[in-house]
Structures are given as C-alpha cells and as structure tokens.
Amino acid sequence: SATFSVYCSRTLNHVTVASIRSAMNAWDWHTAAEAYGFDDDDAVDRALATLKLDAGDGVGGLRFRLTYGPSERRPVLIHVHTGKDVLTEEQDEAEEWLDAAGGEGVERIRVHLNSTTEMVAIELGWSQLKDMGVVFAGMVAEYMAGAGCGLIRDPHGVWWAVDDQIPVQLAAPA
C-alpha cells in the first residue's frame, strides 16, 4: 500500500469524524485536485458526491475510514498510533528515509522526530495515487499535521510541513 505518514508532536485526541468533516466542507477540492494533477472537474465532482468518512473500529489503531466511488473500491484507512513500540519503529524507518534525503529541512525533520508522540498512517492502494484517493488522503494528512503539529512524509518519500495552512516541501529523496 501507499502511505502518507504524519509525525505529530501534539495529541490528536481532539480529532473526530465531525472535526474532519467540518474541515472537509471548507476545502476547495477542485484546487486541491489540480495541485495533485487532476483537472477533470466532473471526475472531482463524482468522487465528492460519494465521499464518506466514518469512525474506524480501533483495531490496529484504525481511527477513521474514508470511502468514495464504487463500493468495491478500497477504502482509505487512517490509523493513529501512540504505542512506544510502533512509534520507535516508525521513527527508525523515518531516519532511514532521511539518510537518503536531501533538502534544507532535513535537520528540522530530525529534531521533530525526537518530539513525536503520535503517528498517523493514511493508507491507500497504489492505484489510488492516480485518482481522487491521493487528493483525499493528502488533504487529510495536511489536516492531521495541522491538528497535531506534525510533519508529513508522502508515499514518494517527500517530506512536508504545513505552515499557515500551506504545504511546504522540506526534503526529498536525493
């Protein structure tokens, strides 16, 4: 699967289905879709017409499930991890990514990783990187980063901060 990872230094206990839905209602989905390379307004509208966010069952940290399109399409799963073992494993993996990364923000990321208290994993299928799934997942990642003082690693290994609600690239694979 493809994953947006959000390394948060503040708790996400206050994040609910209602708070994410409220944020989603304010987003300009057409502009967001264009930023991800999708300029077919009809396709965006079709995906939005079926967009649904529900609470997860909590198993394995599953906090939310995002669905869109036909019922057989894989859901976007949003996990929130707080356990020390999982966080340590994720931080070690992030450090490995950073060892192969370049960019002005590498040191900022390393410092931030040491203050990570929660980690969000937003999982989607690789094929969803070519449809609105990547837009939905990316926007939820940005929301979670804002809510939890987080930094994002996208499925391509590019690191982002959200400064004043604007994504700013910090580092990328060299």
Side-chain angles (χ1 to χ4, degrees):
S1 66
T3 304
F4 282 86
S5 300
V6 186
Y7 301 85
C8 299
S9 60
R10 190 170 63 206
T11 184
L12 295 167
N13 286 340
H14 62 286
V15 175
T16 64
V17 169
S19 67
I20 297 172
R21 281 185 187 153
S22 177
M24 288 175 146
N25 289 336
W27 293 338
D28 179 348
W29 287 108
H30 291 274
T31 300
E34 286 176 12
Y36 281 90
F38 300 105
D39 56 5
D40 182 344
D41 287 341
D42 292 336
V44 173
D45 290 338
R46 283 191 304 275
L48 286 170
T50 60
L51 177 62
K52 191 173 170 190
L53 180 74
D54 296 303
D57 60 13
V59 175
L62 181 60
R63 180 91 56 94
F64 308 104
R65 282 175 51 98
L66 185 150
T67 57
Y68 64 100
S71 60
E72 64 273 3
R73 177 174 282 137
R74 176 187 176 146
V76 175
L77 303 177
I78 304 163
H79 301 266
V80 178
H81 300 289
T82 59
K84 184 161 178 51
D85 291 344
V86 173
L87 289 176
T88 299
E89 181 180 325
E90 292 293 336
Q91 288 167 321
D92 290 347
E93 180 182 315
E95 286 288 348
E96 289 176 24
W97 279 86
L98 284 174
D99 288 343
E104 294 180 16
V106 170
E107 189 55 34
R108 176 180 173 184
I109 298 164
R110 287 189 195 285
V111 168
H112 182 83
L113 286 173
N114 288 327
S115 66
T116 297
T117 58
E118 297 191 14
M119 187 267 182
V120 180
I122 303 171
E123 297 178 18
L124 61 160
W126 287 106
S127 65
Q128 290 171 300
L129 294 177
K130 297 177 180 143
D131 69 21
M132 282 296 291
V134 70
V135 181
F136 296 142
M139 293 297 287
V140 170
E142 289 180 27
Y143 174 81
M144 295 298 224
C149 287
L151 297 180
I152 302 165
R153 187 182 74 217
D154 73 19
H156 306 291
V158 179
W159 288 83
W160 302 86
V162 179
D163 294 337
D164 295 323
Q165 299 182 356
I166 298 170
V168 177
Q169 184 175 322
L170 298 177

